[in-house]
Amino acid sequence: MLTGDFTQSNNIPEKFDYSNEPVRSSELIVQKDQPFNAEPALNSLIQHYVTPTDVFFKRNHGPIPLIEHDSYTFQVDGIVEKPLIVDLNTLKQNFKKHEVVAVIQCAGNRRDGLAKVKKVKGVIWGPGTVGNAVWAGARLCDVLRAAGVSMDLSNPIVSQLHVSFEAYGKSEEDTCYGSSIPLEMAINPANDVLLAYEMNGCELTRDHGFPCRVIVPGVIGARSVKYLRKITIQNEESQSFYQKMDYKVLPPYVNEDNANEWWDKMAALQEMIIQSVICEPCSGQVLPPGPVTIRGYALCGGGKGVDRVDVSVDNGQTWLETTKYQAATRSKYYAWCLWTTTVDSIPDGGKIICRAFDTCGNTQPEFPIWNFRGVMNNSWFVVENLRQQSNTKL
Amino acid sequence: MLTGDFTQSNNIPEKFDYSNEPVRSSELIVQKDQPFNAEPALNSLIQHYVTPTDVFFKRNHGPIPLIEHDSYTFQVDGIVEKPLIVDLNTLKQNFKKHEVVAVIQCAGNRRDGLAKVKKVKGVIWGPGTVGNAVWAGARLCDVLRAAGVSMDLSNPIVSQLHVSFEAYGKSEEDTCYGSSIPLEMAINPANDVLLAYEMNGCELTRDHGFPCRVIVPGVIGARSVKYLRKITIQNEESQSFYQKMDYKVLPPYVNEDNANEWWDKMAALQEMIIQSVICEPCSGQVLPPGPVTIRGYALCGGGKGVDRVDVSVDNGQTWLETTKYQAATRSKYYAWCLWTTTVDSIPDGGKIICRAFDTCGNTQPEFPIWNFRGVMNNSWFVVENLRQQSNTKL
């Protein structure tokens, strides 16, 4: 076994130089300009089962690195028998191409709901930091096998290893963006962890990780590292800021003053949790008379499925059935669920609530549970202040 | 590949003959006499981190089968290269013995909380249908390998197979007790799925599956089939009543009248969900003056850990930190978590609430969510009507 040694020696644009950003759709809601962070409006988000690339949320921790297709490589090192340096042509030609439809959600999706409770740290995302795309590339497990990584999970040492990812480019909180997942998750081919070079049938765009990114289906977006520079097999989780001091649910009695005592006590988030959002109608909308169609998305993590989505128009007293569609990946569910139902009318008070259950029986809490970093908000989604026009002709 | 064919031909005691039941501890709370279903009182449940066998809840769907150690065998068939008939000596001698500390919880634990909302079908369990034991036996994956079961999860057919278990003995709702888990879960050695013949360092007792049972750590107790008679590798889930028409979360608008339309629409439960219970003090207790120690258990499924347990003595306005212990199995958590905290006093109103979070950010719903079979109740646990004696000497 070799333990890799790494010195960052790549051509990286000057820190916080935002002069080389890509052109983006003007229809996105920009939550932060530099680094660029933007999400789509909810009604445009669910127009398609596969989210168009320009509608897909953009989440960045620094400038988008300028990388040439032909000179791009990533390396594989750490506890491997054969360290590798892989270029894009090798990745495409030597490893079978796999495709997976997977929903990617930022752990900070719906942070706005927690910010209303108390001040949180982070981009104040609405409920649009989510998208469902077709990703294609090599399976990470195939590349790891080529590097001679042990796949023997009956070996207790192997079963506790981690796959750490580092990105090209500068980031705001650390020398580069980094994250890790357990090796056990990476080496199971049924988990479809990809080194993706295509999104929705085209080469990755710069905003989505060109030329190559990790896609970890069923896991918070933070682990699907873009602009992949390095994969390290190691005994511990990534020591990156983004694994150790971010993307963790801190207790409600922890705030800016004492957070540093708490990071090491709490787990780094991985699997997504059950989530559902009403995308149509939206709060404050004035609706025509007659039946009202309610539509939204739902998702969960770890390959679990969305078992059902309930809707209530009487403040949670009774719940209505919805019709849903969620594509399966063999026996797993990595894609999102779109759902709809129609009610005869919206009663006085004009409020619609949704909640979902995953196939294990997990559900969403009724009220937002504040945490300092504002992550994993999955409380019941509420649309309110609705009004229906009268049916009588004036 | 061979597809097994099965005819039940074992010596099974006459249906519903309860004349050969084992002797049980008189301290258990008996919820049903025939079949025998009993749970311990909460304060005795958490006296030990490893639950003593006689304190451990007993859950049965029929009489306990009378099985001889020396004549016992189980068979392995279905989509296997080499069907097997395995006796106990072969299991013990030919396969490495593994040990795992795992909490087993019935999916109906805390059904009483849902029965208070509306009538449910099932044994009205309190919160004691749970126990944490040391299980030892062969790994199921080792036995499956000996039967020539494919372990290649990159094969889409293999990744969608199921491991079906059938038990010796009669059961109330079907010809025998049966259940299944996905093959993917079974063949990962890190999941520690066992064919166990020991509990807490001794031969299994009859109530707990003598001479051999399945133990599926992190999964609802229903899948840990006792009195193992047959393992079948097959393309579909178990068709047993206990997989298809029980142990599912039905929507709140489904009851006895329309349940039959719903069974096939809902997922068979597998991974346990985040749970926490206050074991001391108990509702209605009169406490001495001074500080009050609060103790309980928490658990979750799929190898996830309990990230934290919160306690509130002001009706959920604020939450207090607790001290917890949960043994790790390498990087997984299959054992339960015991936790404690001390408060200066219990305020007027005398109510204590607990809630827990798993390492993914899943938490418990605030209120019970009724479902017809009364499964997976994990709402906030509330102890109420507490009173503290006055400190003044009379």
Side-chain angles (χ1 to χ4, degrees):
Chain A
M1 301 271 190
L2 294 173
T3 301
D5 187 46
F6 167 69
T7 313
Q8 190 169 331
S9 60
N10 303 293
N11 289 323
I12 291 168
E14 199 184 333
K15 198 174 182 187
F16 305 134
D17 172 2
Y18 287 99
S19 62
N20 294 304
E21 295 289 285
V23 176
R24 283 112 176 184
S25 163
S26 60
E27 288 178 34
L28 292 167
I29 303 163
V30 178
Q31 302 292 9
K32 195 175 180 187
D33 205 47
Q34 290 183 349
F36 188 74
N37 286 289
E39 66 185 302
L42 286 182
N43 59 351
S44 79
L45 177 60
I46 57 160
Q47 293 309 309
H48 305 274
Y49 189 71
V50 172
T51 314
T53 304
D54 60 342
V55 172
F56 206 99
F57 76 96
K58 323 292 176 199
R59 172 75 178 114
N60 295 295
H61 291 268
I64 310 299
L66 268 175
I67 303 174
E68 297 290 324
H69 180 288
D70 292 345
S71 62
Y72 170 79
T73 62
F74 67 85
Q75 61 181 111
V76 185
D77 67 12
I79 304 171
V80 303
E81 282 180 2
K82 199 174 96 179
L84 300 177
I85 293 179
V86 182
D87 62 33
L88 217 49
N89 286 336
T90 304
L91 187 68
K92 290 177 179 175
Q93 287 161 20
N94 293 15
F95 300 95
K96 190 179 166 192
K97 183 174 167 180
H98 290 270
E99 206 174 82
V100 64
V101 183
V103 57
I104 303 288
Q105 179 189 228
C106 179
N109 191 32
R110 302 184 59 195
R111 183 174 282 134
D112 59 349
L114 300 180
K116 281 178 195 157
V117 178
K118 200 161 80 175
K119 193 188 167 198
V120 294
K121 185 181 171 190
V123 176
I124 307 301
W125 291 111
T129 327
V130 59
N132 188 55
V134 185
W135 308 96
R139 275 193 180 141
L140 174 58
C141 59
D142 292 342
V143 174
L144 296 183
R145 192 175 295 104
V149 173
S150 174
M151 307 272 157
D152 178 15
L153 292 175
S154 70
N155 178 333
I157 293 171
V158 173
S159 74
Q160 294 179 81
L161 293 175
H162 299 263
V163 186
S164 175
F165 307 114
E166 287 182 2
Y168 282 101
K170 300 269 182 188
S171 77
E172 285 201 313
E173 295 92 349
D174 205 334
T175 50
C176 68
Y177 191 86
S179 243
S180 66
I181 61 172
L183 178 67
E184 184 188 347
M185 186 189 287
I187 65 179
N188 181 346
N191 288 345
D192 276 325
V193 181
L194 298 186
L195 303 183
Y197 42 80
E198 285 181 14
M199 177 183 183
N200 295 340
C202 299
E203 197 170 59
L204 288 178
T205 62
R206 289 181 61 214
D207 262 331
H208 293 289
F210 173 85
C212 179
R213 70 175 297 176
V214 185
I215 289 292
V216 191
V219 162
I220 61 164
R223 310 303 172 221
S224 287
V225 175
K226 300 191 285 187
Y227 325 115
L228 179 66
R229 181 170 56 81
K230 199 161 88 97
I231 299 171
T232 306
I233 308 301
Q234 57 190 47
N235 287 308
E236 56 184 9
E237 283 189 331
S238 166
Q239 297 300 296
S240 166
F241 175 90
Y242 305 99
Q243 188 88 11
K244 302 290 285 183
M245 300 177 73
D246 197 353
Y247 302 115
K248 296 188 175 191
V249 178
L250 296 174
Y253 39 84
V254 176
N255 54 38
E256 192 139 29
D257 301 332
N258 58 344
N260 283 342
E261 300 158 31
W262 277 86
W263 295 117
D264 284 346
K265 295 184 191 175
M266 307 312 287
L269 294 168
Q270 296 282 355
E271 257 185 38
M272 294 189 293
I273 60 177
I274 182 72
Q275 174 73 283
S276 66
V277 164
I278 298 166
C279 296
E280 289 175 12
C282 62
S283 286
Q285 197 170 332
V286 179
L287 303 164
V292 177
T293 297
I294 304 165
R295 298 170 68 206
Y297 71 79
L299 60 90
C300 53
K304 296 180 185 78
V306 175
D307 214 31
R308 75 175 204 265
V309 182
D310 293 342
V311 160
S312 177
V313 291
D314 61 3
N315 210 21
Q317 295 298 299
T318 60
W319 296 88
L320 306 169
E321 189 183 344
T322 62
T323 304
K324 68 181 166 64
Y325 173 72
Q326 182 177 28
T329 306
R330 300 175 301 275
S331 54
K332 305 286 187 85
Y333 291 91
Y334 292 132
W336 69 2
C337 166
L338 293 186
W339 57 268
T340 184
T341 194
T342 301
V343 295
D344 289 340
S345 63
I346 298 290
D348 288 344
K351 193 171 179 180
I352 310 172
I353 303 173
C354 77
R355 68 174 186 196
F357 289 72
D358 73 19
T359 46
C360 293
N362 287 297
T363 192
Q364 305 173 230
E366 186 165 343
F367 304 108
I369 301 174
W370 181 88
N371 63 83
F372 172 54
R373 288 312 312 268
V375 288
M376 296 319 236
N377 180 19
N378 71 333
S379 61
W380 292 2
F381 195 88
V382 183
V383 166
E384 49 200 349
N385 300 322
L386 294 171
R387 193 160 61 84
Q388 280 201 276
Q389 289 167 328
S390 163
N391 210 1
T392 48
K393 288 184 182 159
L394 296 175
Chain B
M1 300 271 190
L2 294 173
T3 302
D5 186 48
F6 167 68
T7 314
Q8 189 165 332
S9 61
N10 304 292
N11 290 322
I12 290 169
E14 199 186 332
K15 197 174 183 186
F16 306 135
D17 172 2
Y18 287 99
S19 63
N20 293 304
E21 296 289 285
V23 175
R24 283 111 176 186
S25 163
S26 61
E27 288 179 34
L28 291 169
I29 303 163
V30 179
Q31 302 292 12
K32 194 175 181 187
D33 206 46
Q34 290 183 349
F36 188 74
N37 286 290
E39 65 186 301
L42 285 182
N43 58 351
S44 80
L45 178 60
I46 56 161
Q47 293 308 308
H48 305 274
Y49 188 71
V50 172
T51 313
T53 304
D54 61 341
V55 172
F56 205 99
F57 75 98
K58 323 290 177 201
R59 172 74 179 114
N60 295 296
H61 291 267
I64 311 298
L66 269 174
I67 303 173
E68 297 290 323
H69 181 288
D70 291 347
S71 61
Y72 170 80
T73 61
F74 67 85
Q75 59 180 111
V76 185
D77 66 12
I79 304 170
V80 304
E81 282 179 3
K82 200 174 96 179
L84 300 176
I85 294 180
V86 183
D87 63 31
L88 217 48
N89 287 336
T90 305
L91 186 68
K92 290 177 179 174
Q93 287 161 21
N94 292 16
F95 299 95
K96 190 179 168 193
K97 183 174 168 181
H98 290 271
E99 205 174 83
V100 64
V101 183
V103 57
I104 303 288
Q105 179 188 228
C106 179
N109 192 32
R110 301 184 60 195
R111 184 175 282 134
D112 60 349
L114 300 181
K116 280 179 196 156
V117 178
K118 201 162 78 174
K119 194 188 166 198
V120 293
K121 186 181 172 191
V123 177
I124 308 301
W125 292 112
T129 327
V130 59
N132 189 55
V134 186
W135 308 96
R139 275 193 181 142
L140 174 58
C141 60
D142 293 343
V143 174
L144 296 183
R145 192 175 293 107
V149 173
S150 174
M151 308 272 157
D152 179 14
L153 292 176
S154 69
N155 179 334
I157 294 170
V158 173
S159 74
Q160 294 179 80
L161 293 175
H162 298 264
V163 187
S164 175
F165 307 113
E166 289 183 1
Y168 282 101
K170 300 268 184 189
S171 77
E172 286 201 313
E173 296 91 350
D174 205 334
T175 50
C176 69
Y177 190 86
S179 243
S180 66
I181 61 171
L183 178 68
E184 183 188 347
M185 187 188 287
I187 65 180
N188 181 348
N191 288 347
D192 275 325
V193 181
L194 298 186
L195 302 182
Y197 41 79
E198 285 181 13
M199 178 183 183
N200 295 339
C202 299
E203 197 170 58
L204 288 178
T205 62
R206 288 182 61 215
D207 263 330
H208 294 288
F210 173 84
C212 179
R213 70 174 299 175
V214 185
I215 289 292
V216 192
V219 162
I220 60 165
R223 310 301 171 220
S224 287
V225 174
K226 299 192 287 188
Y227 325 116
L228 180 65
R229 181 172 56 80
K230 199 161 88 94
I231 300 171
T232 306
I233 308 301
Q234 57 190 47
N235 286 309
E236 56 184 9
E237 282 190 333
S238 167
Q239 297 300 296
S240 166
F241 175 91
Y242 306 100
Q243 189 88 11
K244 301 289 286 181
M245 300 178 71
D246 197 353
Y247 301 115
K248 295 187 176 192
V249 178
L250 296 174
Y253 39 86
V254 176
N255 54 39
E256 192 138 29
D257 302 329
N258 58 344
N260 284 341
E261 301 157 30
W262 278 87
W263 294 118
D264 285 346
K265 296 183 191 174
M266 308 312 288
L269 293 168
Q270 296 283 356
E271 257 185 39
M272 293 190 294
I273 59 178
I274 182 74
Q275 175 72 285
S276 66
V277 164
I278 298 165
C279 297
E280 288 175 14
C282 62
S283 286
Q285 197 170 333
V286 179
L287 303 164
V292 177
T293 298
I294 305 165
R295 297 171 68 206
Y297 70 80
L299 60 89
C300 51
K304 296 179 184 77
V306 175
D307 214 32
R308 72 174 206 266
V309 182
D310 294 342
V311 160
S312 177
V313 292
D314 61 4
N315 210 21
Q317 296 297 298
T318 59
W319 296 88
L320 305 168
E321 189 182 346
T322 63
T323 304
K324 68 183 168 64
Y325 173 72
Q326 183 177 27
T329 306
R330 300 175 302 275
S331 54
K332 304 285 187 90
Y333 290 91
Y334 293 131
W336 70 2
C337 166
L338 293 186
W339 58 265
T340 185
T341 193
T342 301
V343 295
D344 289 342
S345 63
I346 299 290
D348 287 344
K351 192 172 181 180
I352 311 172
I353 304 173
C354 77
R355 68 173 187 198
F357 289 73
D358 73 18
T359 44
C360 294
N362 287 296
T363 191
Q364 305 173 231
E366 186 164 344
F367 303 108
I369 301 174
W370 182 88
N371 62 84
F372 172 55
R373 289 311 313 268
V375 289
M376 296 317 237
N377 181 18
N378 70 333
S379 61
W380 291 4
F381 195 89
V382 183
V383 166
E384 47 200 351
N385 300 322
L386 294 171
R387 193 160 61 84
Q388 281 201 276
Q389 289 169 326
S390 162
N391 211 359
T392 47
K393 289 182 183 162
L394 296 175

